[in-house]
Amino acid sequence: LFPRGRTTIAPGAVHVPEWLDAARQAELLAACREWARPPAGLRTVRTPGGGTMTARQVCLGLHWYPYGYARTVVDGDGAPVKPFPVWLGELGRRAVADALGPEAAAGAAYDIALINFYDADARMGMHRDSDERSGAPVVSLSLGDTCVFRFGNTENRNRPWTDVELRGGDLFVFGGPSRLAYHGVPRVHPGTAPPGLGLRGRLNITLRVS
Ligand code: AKG
């Protein structure tokens, strides 16, 4: 049985609103605040063209930089990346089972997390998550402010795409034929975070298998 409200956006791409209850959101936020502390804490990502990404990032398990992975923060303080906790991998497998079914979750050994923090002006351009060798589904968990999540096609950054409102507590999983779909965040709606959470801005946690 799948959770209520589960919506298929494209084959293999599923949105599950309100997947994390308020207590789980608070736990995850507390964990993110710990992970954001140095060493290997929240950093501004520099792009190859000389610019910077507007969402700031901290990684677990392996450190992502444009466009690769490393065991140390190669474009920051040089510290070893923080470990990927076992409980987060279990959460990832449960997310995939709820979104895509138990077969899709079997054997998905999540070992990387990218945590992006968006303030009111942050955005993320259309891109593909193609730096992982594994084809395991990407699990995305959102906390805080609502955003517009643009889920596109696998060919290019252009239409067709579907704009999905991701709210704090929502789950989005994309795997199978949608694993390499372009996606991005054109807009965050400031001040829309659940009032009790104590987060100003938006956090997104993606879990991946290297
Ligand atoms: C990424 O980490 O690659 C994302 O696209 C994040 C998407 C989001 O913030 O919802």
Side-chain angles (χ1 to χ4, degrees), residues 114 116 118 124 127 129 140 149 166 183 185 202 204 206 208:
L114 269 59
N116 285 300
Y118 297 76
M124 193 172 287
H127 65 281
D129 295 352
S140 150
F149 179 64
L166 288 186
H183 57 279
V185 176
R202 171 174 188 264
N204 176 263
T206 52
R208 302 137 187 251

Side-chain angles (χ1 to χ4, degrees), residues 2-3 5-17 98-100 151 162 164 172-173 177-178:
F2 288 116
R6 171 187 174 276
T7 306
T8 298
I9 304 299
V14 170
H15 177 208
V16 187
D98 276 0
L100 302 178
F151 198 74
T162 305
V164 180
F172 195 98
V173 175
S178 285

Side-chain angles (χ1 to χ4, degrees), residues 43-56 66 122-125:
R43 82 195 203 287
T44 298
V45 182
R46 280 176 220 291
T47 52
T52 53
M53 280 172 54
T54 52
R56 287 181 295 151
R123 313 259 178 277
M124 193 172 287

Side-chain angles (χ1 to χ4, degrees), residues 25-203:
Q25 291 174 47
E27 278 171 18
L28 211 45
L29 173 58
C32 288
R33 287 195 164 128
E34 279 303 310
W35 296 328
R37 291 150 69 113
L42 195 69
R43 82 195 203 287
T44 298
V45 182
R46 280 176 220 291
T47 52
T52 53
M53 280 172 54
T54 52
R56 287 181 295 151
Q57 189 176 96
V58 58
C59 302
L60 306 176
L62 278 178
H63 176 73
W64 182 83
Y65 61 95
Y67 293 90
Y69 281 107
R71 296 193 182 280
T72 55
V73 182
V74 290
D75 55 351
D77 63 9
V81 68
K82 290 184 169 87
F84 182 96
V86 171
W87 63 265
L88 198 54
E90 281 161 10
L91 190 69
R93 271 191 301 279
R94 260 202 301 120
V96 173
D98 276 0
L100 302 178
E103 312 78 35
Y110 288 94
D111 60 349
I112 302 173
L114 269 59
I115 298 138
N116 285 300
F117 174 72
Y118 297 76
D119 64 18
D121 300 318
R123 313 259 178 277
M124 193 172 287
M126 294 295 275
H127 65 281
R128 300 204 281 189
D129 295 352
S130 55
D131 296 324
E132 301 79 25
R133 272 187 232 127
S134 159
V138 174
V139 171
S140 150
L141 298 164
S142 293
L143 296 176
D145 282 344
T146 300
C147 79
V148 177
F149 179 64
R150 181 160 289 170
F151 198 74
N153 64 81
T154 53
E155 299 299 313
N156 58 48
R157 293 179 166 76
N158 308 323
R159 285 184 164 83
W161 59 52
T162 305
D163 282 348
V164 180
E165 237 184 36
L166 288 186
R167 295 170 187 262
D170 286 9
L171 164 68
F172 195 98
V173 175
F174 53 102
S178 285
R179 175 60 181 77
L180 291 177
Y182 284 87
H183 57 279
V185 176
R187 177 130 204 245
V188 173
H189 296 297
T192 52
L197 185 65
L199 173 62
R200 187 194 289 251
R202 171 174 188 264
L203 278 167

